[in-house]
Amino acid sequence: MIDWKKSMKRTFEFYEVDAKTWKDKRKLSNITECSIKWDLDAETLGSATIKSSESLGESYIRTYMIAIQNGLTYRIPLGTFLVQTTTSSFDGKSKTVPMDAYTPLLELKDNYPPLGYTVIKDQKILETGARICDDHMRAPVIVSENDETLFADFTANTDETWLAYLKALIANAKYHLDINEMGEILFAPDQETASLQPIYTYDDSNSSILYPDVEDEHDLYGIPNVVEVVYSKDSTYKYARAVNDNPDSITSTVSRGREILYRVTDPNIGDPTQEQLEQYAKQVLREKSSVEHTITYSHGWTPVRVGNCVRLDYARAGMRNIKAKVISQSFNCDAGCKVSETAVYTIDLWR
């Protein structure tokens, strides 16, 4: 196995992909630059900017990193993108063709379901989603063995693309769309970060590939330290109040010196007893007493992809044994291959 913390020689190769077989068709020698971005919040989950010395029209291009270490050669796919040529320029010596490129999910974004399109209840959700992919895009789908059935008919909105409809459909099974570097479509189960296992640790040891600059963004504004629950039905009236007065909590009434109130007037808990209402108030306060941290950092390239869990153990930045989920990353296909990455994690401020 390659040791990413040690030196190696890196080069990059680009291939045109046969959209029917999804295999590499021919090696391209005219690619001069390539930058790749993966982002869980992006509609198609990723994009690339590619420069070439000739126009390639609209075609799929696959990028590989060729890493050589200790006499062994490793061929690592970095992404498969549908390129679209928009402009070209000539400086008197050479031609430059910049191309915008997107993941194969772009094909689902380009078209709409027929008006009134409906998946009938009791249909298999992921199986139906895979069939939609097969019918409306060329990229292969890796089907999950776990599946659930629809409890009710699921109709597409008139302004919904196939991509938006597919995302909403598989969300009924608690799955989301994913895509691997070979351009294959995946249905991935929704998971909390706490349940994930870190696949890589970034630390500040002498052999670390983590760059020193780290940014930590979080917002404590609006996090309540008091929750009031009001239940009223017919002639019944009940009231419960939960207070975070723990001096060790940075959002407590003690630490802040003031109350920040969150009130629930329509609790969806049936006909509760007073004790159940008080437990409900504590549960709401516990759920509201958390803050999401967004960490931005850079590192040398590793086989970490968006959606993965990593461990941040960067003592100099005050981060100790933190599990975070990677939500975006970008890098240029060059010798250094520095990756700019963003990850998120949540801290509970009251228990």
Side-chain angles (χ1 to χ4, degrees):
M1 294 292 292
I2 194 167
D3 187 342
W4 297 104
K5 295 182 178 181
K6 295 183 179 179
S7 62
M8 69 194 74
K9 180 182 178 182
R10 286 192 184 95
T11 57
F12 298 87
E13 293 181 351
F14 305 89
Y15 287 81
E16 183 179 353
V17 177
D18 187 326
K20 293 182 179 180
T21 65
W22 214 245
K23 296 180 179 179
D24 299 341
K25 182 166 65 174
R26 67 182 180 101
K27 187 176 180 180
L28 301 173
S29 58
N30 49 23
I31 304 297
T32 57
E33 293 182 29
C34 177
S35 62
I36 294 174
K37 181 174 183 179
W38 297 104
D39 189 343
L40 291 182
D41 290 333
E43 194 170 11
T44 61
L45 302 181
S47 61
T49 301
I50 300 173
K51 288 185 178 181
S52 172
S53 59
E54 68 177 64
S55 175
L56 297 173
E58 181 173 290
S59 58
Y60 275 106
I61 292 180
R62 183 170 291 139
T63 304
Y64 293 94
M65 175 192 292
I66 310 301
I68 302 175
Q69 187 180 74
N70 298 328
L72 298 177
T73 300
Y74 302 84
R75 193 167 183 257
I76 304 153
L78 299 180
T80 303
F81 299 95
L82 180 62
V83 302
Q84 297 177 326
T85 304
T86 55
T87 61
S88 63
S89 61
F90 183 71
D91 63 3
K93 294 182 179 180
S94 61
K95 183 179 180 180
T96 300
V97 182
M99 297 175 287
D100 295 326
Y102 301 91
T103 72
L105 292 174
L106 183 69
E107 294 190 16
L108 291 176
K109 182 185 173 183
D110 284 342
N111 288 294
Y112 296 81
L115 292 175
Y117 181 86
T118 301
V119 175
I120 306 301
K121 71 174 183 178
D122 297 328
Q123 297 295 308
K124 292 289 187 180
I125 296 173
L126 302 184
E127 180 181 304
T128 303
R131 187 165 58 250
I132 289 174
C133 290
D134 288 338
D135 290 343
H136 301 284
M137 66 186 306
R138 292 170 289 178
V141 183
I142 299 177
V143 182
S144 172
E145 295 182 358
N146 299 320
D147 207 343
E148 295 187 20
T149 57
L150 277 172
F151 289 105
D153 294 353
F154 197 76
T155 303
N157 296 325
T158 56
D159 60 345
E160 217 167 25
T161 65
W162 277 118
L163 179 56
Y165 180 74
L166 178 62
K167 288 181 178 180
L169 174 65
I170 67 174
N172 286 284
K174 297 183 178 179
Y175 274 70
H176 61 273
L177 283 177
D178 197 2
I179 188 167
N180 64 21
E181 288 78 4
M182 294 297 289
E184 298 167 320
I185 309 303
L186 313 172
F187 296 159
D190 297 337
Q191 293 177 290
E192 296 292 334
T193 301
S195 67
L196 300 175
Q197 292 301 314
I199 70 166
Y200 205 92
T201 296
Y202 298 116
D203 57 38
D204 52 355
S205 64
N206 291 334
S207 61
S208 176
I209 59 173
L210 183 67
Y211 286 64
D213 293 335
V214 175
E215 184 174 322
D216 182 351
E217 294 183 6
H218 59 280
D219 187 3
L220 297 177
Y221 178 79
I223 294 180
N225 48 30
V226 176
V227 166
E228 292 181 346
V229 181
V230 179
Y231 175 83
S232 178
K233 184 178 181 181
D234 300 329
S235 59
T236 303
Y237 176 85
K238 293 186 178 76
Y239 169 83
R241 177 180 167 95
V243 180
N244 174 8
D245 55 7
N246 182 351
D248 294 330
S249 170
I250 61 175
T251 58
S252 69
T253 56
V254 177
S255 299
R256 277 182 157 160
R258 62 190 180 102
E259 291 188 356
I260 298 178
L261 175 65
Y262 181 82
R263 180 175 289 149
V264 181
T265 58
D266 56 347
N268 186 21
I269 54 174
D271 186 8
T273 64
Q274 181 62 36
E275 181 180 358
Q276 289 173 330
L277 199 67
E278 290 172 357
Q279 288 299 320
Y280 180 81
K282 290 180 180 179
Q283 176 186 335
V284 172
L285 180 57
R286 189 175 299 112
E287 292 173 352
K288 295 291 182 180
S289 297
S290 63
V291 59
E292 184 177 80
H293 288 245
T294 301
I295 311 298
T296 304
Y297 52 93
S298 299
H299 58 78
W301 199 90
T302 63
V304 172
R305 59 194 307 270
V306 293
N308 287 159
C309 177
V310 296
R311 190 185 308 279
L312 298 169
D313 197 13
Y314 194 10
R316 284 178 288 179
M319 299 178 188
R320 286 292 194 180
N321 199 29
I322 292 172
K323 288 172 57 176
K325 181 180 178 179
V326 177
I327 61 171
S328 71
Q329 58 181 199
S330 59
F331 55 89
N332 294 326
C333 296
D334 55 26
C337 208
K338 176 183 176 181
V339 179
S340 297
E341 194 162 280
T342 300
V344 296
Y345 70 95
T346 301
I347 291 182
D348 295 325
L349 303 174
W350 184 73
R351 295 182 182 276

